[in-house]
């Protein structure tokens, strides 16, 4: 659609002449419960100024129909000024009033105003999600972060509903007549960006609480808290725990940021079919409702939810109060919130494994992304909003946060927070670029502008990850004669960087434990840094460079340490050091430097000893990838058998009722192949088999059904019966996944067709279909789809919303077909489509890179 992919140049030009005084947005969603109603009424008034009288510009609006457009009292012909994505504005005055009356579409893709009908009770629920540029699907606006303005929302909705928005409701008015609707008048917001506005409406269940704090001037800041979810989830809603973390976070950020929470109230809405984890809409944060746990989950899930709550809360200051000028500096807010979420979690809540999870899982995302050919510096070049959409990636979040962790080590914690405080004071309600943050940090850290510029150039303006390798020479008595740290970089991104690191030396105790016996902290700069202090010491059993996880790098080992790890990895007693070691071994495997079967052997030998539940769960998924993609295909069946046997063994050993027991049960379900294992799954479902302490609740039941369906041991009737038993949103998704997982040509064809031939499937169901479709044991069935996939790529990309298109590209890429033919097909498409949308090419290039990496790892495993 012309004009839909708003570019940075256009946004700059527009901000150069326009400024916005305010929006009044009236939405009428009384039609929402009527499934046949495709649209809702959207009436927007924008008051704005233009610095160049007579100039032309445009407003953004993606809508099926526009009824009327009025500019400064003149009626414009919608057919002439509206092209489906923009409203052309000509001959602007110094002060302007634009009124757009439109019919906007309810969304089923999680973008814009999403509509969901609960299968449990037939109730309809709405919520908005706009980042980066989807507010224009709901009201006419200037869709760019740097044209901030106050908003007055009014929403007319069915009378039985509640409505939430960024600000509190001033009054709720009964509609005249039959009283079937009420109109919610919300207070004007503070100046915020379009992508941060939000409306949530429906018969949501709500719980309320309250937080207050005395401010330095003696006044009291009162913040009403609300937490909502669908009515049918209310019995699972642990709002008290959510409020506890919320209050801990508010205390912490007020202490550290010294800037009172600016948005009046704090609602946290858990909403269905949400595309991401959560969104930091000021005063009205939206979360995926999978964070309302209806079955037993492990402590890792509670930790992850607390982390997200704190991440979004950090955004209230960094992102919402002070906002990036354009999406190039998306990282400014995301890296900060990601870092601060972990930091606050560690300092203010009971979740003390926060930095272990960060080191082991969050950074894994960054390392993966940073080795793609599409990687980019943390400060990215974002040409348009399609680029922006793809940049919510492992670089922007996880690498950015890792680098901020380095910055805190470099500038000092106090200087870092003092810099943040000044930044909020100087730029409140404004927009910034990277230089604005560096400027205050240069002052507060005392390092000066030059040093901050060097730091920024090394860490923010170059791409790629360095590897750090210890190099030891040892004399005949086993003493270190020289200890050096080697630094290298990928060919495409050759920058070596200054790293502040700790080196840990570990030795075996009498009881077998591997304990740290020495630690040195130093700066590593060039290709080789000699560590004088370690000369003369006896060679340790294990050397861990980047101990304590201060820097962002791939950790390598010397050969002696690798020998130690093979027999004693599980004996490292410090959870962070062990987690770092596990992720280093995983990186070695992905890089083809450790045979995949050796990594699997480490997991089989030591995962049973792993105390950190989050680390254990990532070991499970990594071991599965190692067998299915990275190992020699000739060994796959054997590797799969070993994983399932190991899972069953550990499941029987795990403490009854423990998180570990649940994790092993899920792992068994995902690996079971042998008759005895599958019979056990069937028995657990039927109640004829029991594992002491293991509750086979609804989510676990679905994991078992999906496993049995993939093995060809679940009939359509059985899956239907399970869906009747669990006729919920989640049940429907799982049933679709199980149906698609069945090993028949018909099941694969149905899953493919549901996504590719129709645009009616909602976002969550697209995900369920692709998750079920790809099964490691069914390569013959899915092989014919490789060619079809490449045939359909451009059409699907062009016809679907970007969210659905991204799910298609990633979900149906033949990632389990790790062979030369699939690589050749992928290269054939890339060569033949140089003009395809850059965002589409980027996704395919990344899938291609994973495939090529898997082939290299297979060769290493074979050797
Ligand atoms: Zn964020």
């Amino acid at each position: 659609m012309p004009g839909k992919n708003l570019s940075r140049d256009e946004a700059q030009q527009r901000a150069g002449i326009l400024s916005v005084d305010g929006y009044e947005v009236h939405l009428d969603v009384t039609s929402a419960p009527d499934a046949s109603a495709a649209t809702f009424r959207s009436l927007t008034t924008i008051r704005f100024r233009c610095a160049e009288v007579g100039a032309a510009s445009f407003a953004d609006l993606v809508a099926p129909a526009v009824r009327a457009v009025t500019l400064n009292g003149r009626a414009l012909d919608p057919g002439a000024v509206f092209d489906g994505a923009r409203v052309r504005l000509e001959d602007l005055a110094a002060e302007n009033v634009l009124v757009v009356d439109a019919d906007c579409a309810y969304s089923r893709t999680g973008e814009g105003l999403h509509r969901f009908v609960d299968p449990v009770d037939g109730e309809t629920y709405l919520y908005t999600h706009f980042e980066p540029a989807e507010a224009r699907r709901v009201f006419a606006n200037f869709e760019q972060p740097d044209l901030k303005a106050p908003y007055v929302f009014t929403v007319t909705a069915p009378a039985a509903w509640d409505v939430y928005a960024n600000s509190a409701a001033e009054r709720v008015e009964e509609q005249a007549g039959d009283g079937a609707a009420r109109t919610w008048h919300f207070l004007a917001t503070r100046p915020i960006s379009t992508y941060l506005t939000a409306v949530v409406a429906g018969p949501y269940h709500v719980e309320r609480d309250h937080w207050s704090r005395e401010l330095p001037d003696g006044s009291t800041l009162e913040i009403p808290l609300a937490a909502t979810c669908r009515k049918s989830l209310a019995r699972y809603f642990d709002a008290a725990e959510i409020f506890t973390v919320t209050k801990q976070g508010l205390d912490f950020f007020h202490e550290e940021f010294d800037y009172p929470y600016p948005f009046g109230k704090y609602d946290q809405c858990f909403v269905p079919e949400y595309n991401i984890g959560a969104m930091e809409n000021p005063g009205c944060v939206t979360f995926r409702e999978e964070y309302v746990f209806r079955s037993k989950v492990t402590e890792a899930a509670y930790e992850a939810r607390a982390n997200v709550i704190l991440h979004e809360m950090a955004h209230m200051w960094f992102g919402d109060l002070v906002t990036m000028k354009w999406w190039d500096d998306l990282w400014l807010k995301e890296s900060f919130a990601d870092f601060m979420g972990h930091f606050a979690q560690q300092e203010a809540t009971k979740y003390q494994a926060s930095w272990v999870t960060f080191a082991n899982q969050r950074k894994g995302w960054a390392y993966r992304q940073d080795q793609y050919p599409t990687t980019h510096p943390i400060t990215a070049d974002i040409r348009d909003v399609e680029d922006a959409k793809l940049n919510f990636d492992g670089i922007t979040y996880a690498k950015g946060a890792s680098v901020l962790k380095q910055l805190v080590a470099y500038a000092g914690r106090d200087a870092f927070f003092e810099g943040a405080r000044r930044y909020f004071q100087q730029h409140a309600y404004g927009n910034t670029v990277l230089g604005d943050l560096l400027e205050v940090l240069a002052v507060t850290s005392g390092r000066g502008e030059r040093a901050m510029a060097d730091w920024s150039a090394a860490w923010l303006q170059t791409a790629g990850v360095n590897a750090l390798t210890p190099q030891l020479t040892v004399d005949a008595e086993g003493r270190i004669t020289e200890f050096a740290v080697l630094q290298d970089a990928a060919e495409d991104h050759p920058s070596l960087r200054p790293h502040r690191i700790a080196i840990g030396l570990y030795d075996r105790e009498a009881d077998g434990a591997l304990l740290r016996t020495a630690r040195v902290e130093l700066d590593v700069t060039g290709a080789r840094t000699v560590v004088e202090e370690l000369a003369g010491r006896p060679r340790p059993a294990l050397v861990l460079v980047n101990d304590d996880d201060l820097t962002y790098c791939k950790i390598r080992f010397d050969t002696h340490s690798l020998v130690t790890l093979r027999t004693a990895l599980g004996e490292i007693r410090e959870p962070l050091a062990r987690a770092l070691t596990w992720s280093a071994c995983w990186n070695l495997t992905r890089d083809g430097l450790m045979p995949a079967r050796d990594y699997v052997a480490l997991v089989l030998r030591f995962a049973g000893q792993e105390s950190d539940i989050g680390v254990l769960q990532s070991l499970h998924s990594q071991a599965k990838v190692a067998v299915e993609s990275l190992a020699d295909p000739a060994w796959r069946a054997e590797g799969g058998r070993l994983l399932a046997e190991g899972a069953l063994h550990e499941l029987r050993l795990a403490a009854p009722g423990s998180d570990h027991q649940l994790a092993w049960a899920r792992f068994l379900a995902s690996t079971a192949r042998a008759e005895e294992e599958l019979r056990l799954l069937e028995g657990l479902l039927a109640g004829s088999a029991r594992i002491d302490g293991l509750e086979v609740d609804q989510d676990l039941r679905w994991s078992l059904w999906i496993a049995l369906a993939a093995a060809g041991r679940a009939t359509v009737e059985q899956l239907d019966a399970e869906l009747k038993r669990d006729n919920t949103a989640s049940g429907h998704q799982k049933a679709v996944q199980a149906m698609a997982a069945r090993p028949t040509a018909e099941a694969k064809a149905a899953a493919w067709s549901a996504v590719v031939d129709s645009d009616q499937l909602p976002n969550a169901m697209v995900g369920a279909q692709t998750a079920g479709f790809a099964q490691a044991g069914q390569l013959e069935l899915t092989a014919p789809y490789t060619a079809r996939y490449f045939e359909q790529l451009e059409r699907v990309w062009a016809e679907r919303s970007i969210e659905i298109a991204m799910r298609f590209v990633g979900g149906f890429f033949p990632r389990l077909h790790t062979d030369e033919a699939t690589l050749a097909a992928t290269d054939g498409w890339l060569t033949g489509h140089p003009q395809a949308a850059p965002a589409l090419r980027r996704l395919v290039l990344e899938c291609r890179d994973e495939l090529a990496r898997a082939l290299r790892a297979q060769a290493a495993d074979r050797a």
Side-chain angles (χ1 to χ4, degrees), residues 65-137:
V66 170
R67 297 175 183 226
V69 179
T70 312
L71 178 62
N72 300 332
R74 275 180 289 138
L76 306 181
D77 172 13
V81 298
F82 176 64
D83 65 2
R86 293 182 180 185
V87 180
R88 207 168 68 240
L89 306 173
E90 281 169 356
D91 195 19
L92 291 171
E95 293 184 11
N96 302 274
V97 180
L98 172 68
V99 183
V100 180
D101 186 357
D103 293 314
C104 292
Y106 293 112
S107 159
R108 290 296 286 134
T109 69
E111 302 150 294
L113 182 65
H114 189 80
R115 175 168 60 174
F116 172 83
V117 178
D118 190 336
V120 174
D121 52 18
E123 295 282 14
T124 300
Y125 292 91
L126 305 177
Y127 64 86
T128 58
H129 179 71
F130 293 157
E131 191 176 27
E134 308 296 359
R136 57 194 168 150
R137 291 176 185 271

Side-chain angles (χ1 to χ4, degrees), residues 205-253:
H205 168 78
V206 61
E207 306 219 9
R208 297 189 186 277
D209 203 330
H210 187 264
W211 177 88
S212 67
R213 182 185 181 87
E214 193 174 324
L215 298 178
D217 66 4
S219 65
T220 302
L221 179 63
E222 304 276 357
I223 309 289
L225 309 176
T228 75
C229 68
R230 285 187 290 124
K231 277 195 296 191
S232 63
L233 288 176
R235 65 193 163 119
Y236 309 113
F237 199 33
D238 56 340
E241 163 68 11
I242 290 165
F243 288 135
T244 297
V245 174
T246 303
K247 292 175 193 176
Q248 287 169 333
L250 286 168
D251 280 334
F252 177 81
F253 290 125

Side-chain angles (χ1 to χ4, degrees), residues 802-815:
I802 191 160
E803 184 66 40
I804 299 294
M806 285 169 71
R807 283 172 190 248
F808 169 80
V809 177
F812 277 130
F813 183 85
R815 65 187 163 80

Side-chain angles (χ1 to χ4, degrees), residues 111-276:
E111 302 150 294
L113 182 65
H114 189 80
R115 175 168 60 174
F116 172 83
V117 178
D118 190 336
V120 174
D121 52 18
E123 295 282 14
T124 300
Y125 292 91
L126 305 177
Y127 64 86
T128 58
H129 179 71
F130 293 157
E131 191 176 27
E134 308 296 359
R136 57 194 168 150
R137 291 176 185 271
V138 174
F139 58 91
N141 61 46
F142 301 115
E143 187 86 85
Q144 58 190 82
D146 59 344
L147 284 174
K148 287 188 173 184
Y151 290 78
V152 175
F153 276 97
T154 51
V155 180
T156 303
W161 286 17
D162 283 335
V163 184
Y164 303 84
N166 301 97
S167 52
E170 187 180 22
R171 64 198 161 89
V172 184
E173 176 191 9
E174 299 282 340
Q175 203 181 50
D178 60 2
R182 292 190 293 170
T183 298
W184 295 65
H185 297 262
F186 291 94
L187 295 165
T189 69
R190 298 287 202 155
I192 55 177
S193 305
T194 46
Y195 79 93
L196 290 169
T197 57
V199 172
V200 175
Y204 283 93
H205 168 78
V206 61
E207 306 219 9
R208 297 189 186 277
D209 203 330
H210 187 264
W211 177 88
S212 67
R213 182 185 181 87
E214 193 174 324
L215 298 178
D217 66 4
S219 65
T220 302
L221 179 63
E222 304 276 357
I223 309 289
L225 309 176
T228 75
C229 68
R230 285 187 290 124
K231 277 195 296 191
S232 63
L233 288 176
R235 65 193 163 119
Y236 309 113
F237 199 33
D238 56 340
E241 163 68 11
I242 290 165
F243 288 135
T244 297
V245 174
T246 303
K247 292 175 193 176
Q248 287 169 333
L250 286 168
D251 280 334
F252 177 81
F253 290 125
H254 278 82
E255 207 61 56
E256 298 292 346
F257 291 167
D258 194 30
Y259 191 107
Y261 172 74
F263 299 111
K265 50 103 186 176
Y266 202 68
D267 299 341
Q268 297 179 97
C269 303
F270 293 78
V271 298
E273 298 184 328
Y274 203 53
N275 282 329
I276 57 171

Side-chain angles (χ1 to χ4, degrees), residues 280 311-312 315 333-334 337 397:
E280 69 267 22
H311 174 118
E312 305 311 329
H315 274 313
K333 76 175 175 79
E334 292 308 340
Y397 286 73

Side-chain angles (χ1 to χ4, degrees), residues 42-66:
S42 163
L43 180 65
T44 305
T45 303
I46 317 177
R47 293 170 211 286
F48 64 101
R49 294 159 199 268
C50 178
E52 284 175 23
V53 173
S57 190
F58 61 93
D60 300 284
L61 175 67
V62 176
V66 170

